[in-house]
Amino acid sequence: MPGHFEPLPGGGAAVALDDVEISIIRSLAVQLLELIGPGPAEDAPDDPLAELFAEGPSEPPADPVLKRLFPDAYTDPEATPGPREAEERQAHSAEFRRFTENDLRAGKRENALAVVRSLDELGAGGEGGAVLELSTEASRQWLGALNDLRLAIGSRLDIADEDDTDLLYRLPDEDPRKPMVMAYLWLGGLQETLVATLMQ
């Protein structure tokens, strides 16, 4: 089980993590939470109707990581639209973002919080770490958070698609990006085994 998820009887998944791995995942999840920012409910009084009709931003975020996490809905990187079509796409994307981004942020925030909470409940496993056991629902939240963490790190590393990952394996040890690359590849392994576990 070390380093990869395995199925639990009755559903869910388990993985053995050492203290360093627990610390790294928790730190990355907290950084993701800080990047996503607080939700509307944290900024305003508790009003379900206001939350229901709250509108999100209409402009894409400036931060490249947030752009990757919350991409425009009506863009096609392969296409070169004319000025009018580009303007229409931008208007449609702005409208879509206005009504969906708050919910998307809330979902990503909940997934990252689930990771932090489950690691906090796990506590320090002492020498050798501990085994993290997740329910099926918690496994799905972890899967979402691992995906978001990889997208965030991939964005910082300028990874546009899977072909770019081949270059990562050839980085020299002295490259300052090496720790981030190692985290990216390790999280990818965790994500892959968690997907396989949930599909069983």
Side-chain angles (χ1 to χ4, degrees), residues 93-139:
S93 289
E95 191 74 358
F96 185 82
R97 183 180 297 281
R98 196 159 58 94
F99 291 110
T100 61
E101 189 168 312
N102 282 347
D103 286 342
L104 290 172
R105 281 182 184 261
K108 291 179 185 299
R109 192 178 300 111
E110 270 308 306
N111 290 343
L113 277 170
V115 168
V116 172
R117 288 178 184 138
S118 59
L119 292 175
D120 287 349
E121 286 171 14
L122 191 62
E127 209 170 310
V131 175
L132 175 69
E133 294 187 356
L134 301 171
S135 67
T136 303
E137 176 57 28
S139 296

Side-chain angles (χ1 to χ4, degrees), residues 1-198:
M1 185 188 304
H4 63 273
F5 281 95
E6 291 184 1
L8 286 173
V15 64
L17 298 170
D18 65 32
D19 290 340
V20 173
E21 292 168 332
I22 292 169
S23 175
I24 290 170
I25 296 172
R26 189 185 187 287
S27 173
L28 290 171
V30 168
Q31 289 175 53
L32 182 63
L33 283 167
E34 290 170 355
L35 186 64
I36 293 170
E42 296 169 49
D43 296 337
D46 215 10
D47 182 354
L49 280 177
E51 283 182 40
L52 183 63
F53 294 107
E55 293 182 1
S58 58
E59 294 298 317
D63 187 297
V65 172
L66 289 175
K67 271 188 185 174
R68 188 85 173 266
L69 291 173
F70 306 103
D72 273 335
Y74 294 92
T75 58
D76 181 0
E78 304 294 318
T80 51
R84 184 176 175 183
E85 189 182 347
E87 193 175 308
E88 283 177 4
R89 282 186 184 179
Q90 190 175 4
H92 291 311
S93 289
E95 191 74 358
F96 185 82
R97 183 180 297 281
R98 196 159 58 94
F99 291 110
T100 61
E101 189 168 312
N102 282 347
D103 286 342
L104 290 172
R105 281 182 184 261
K108 291 179 185 299
R109 192 178 300 111
E110 270 308 306
N111 290 343
L113 277 170
V115 168
V116 172
R117 288 178 184 138
S118 59
L119 292 175
D120 287 349
E121 286 171 14
L122 191 62
E127 209 170 310
V131 175
L132 175 69
E133 294 187 356
L134 301 171
S135 67
T136 303
E137 176 57 28
S139 296
R140 288 191 186 104
Q141 289 182 301
W142 264 72
L143 190 56
L146 287 172
N147 186 60
D148 289 341
L149 289 172
R150 289 193 79 233
L151 284 173
I153 295 171
S155 179
R156 294 288 188 231
L157 291 170
D158 291 324
I159 297 170
D161 56 46
E162 284 304 310
D163 293 339
D164 295 339
T165 58
D166 293 340
L167 302 171
L168 301 180
Y169 289 102
R170 295 194 291 274
L171 279 181
D173 289 341
E174 60 274 9
D175 192 300
R177 297 171 295 170
K178 191 74 172 192
M180 228 184 341
V181 166
M182 298 304 291
Y184 179 82
L185 296 173
W186 172 58
L187 292 173
L190 284 176
Q191 184 181 18
E192 192 175 311
T193 59
L194 184 52
V195 168
T197 296
L198 291 174

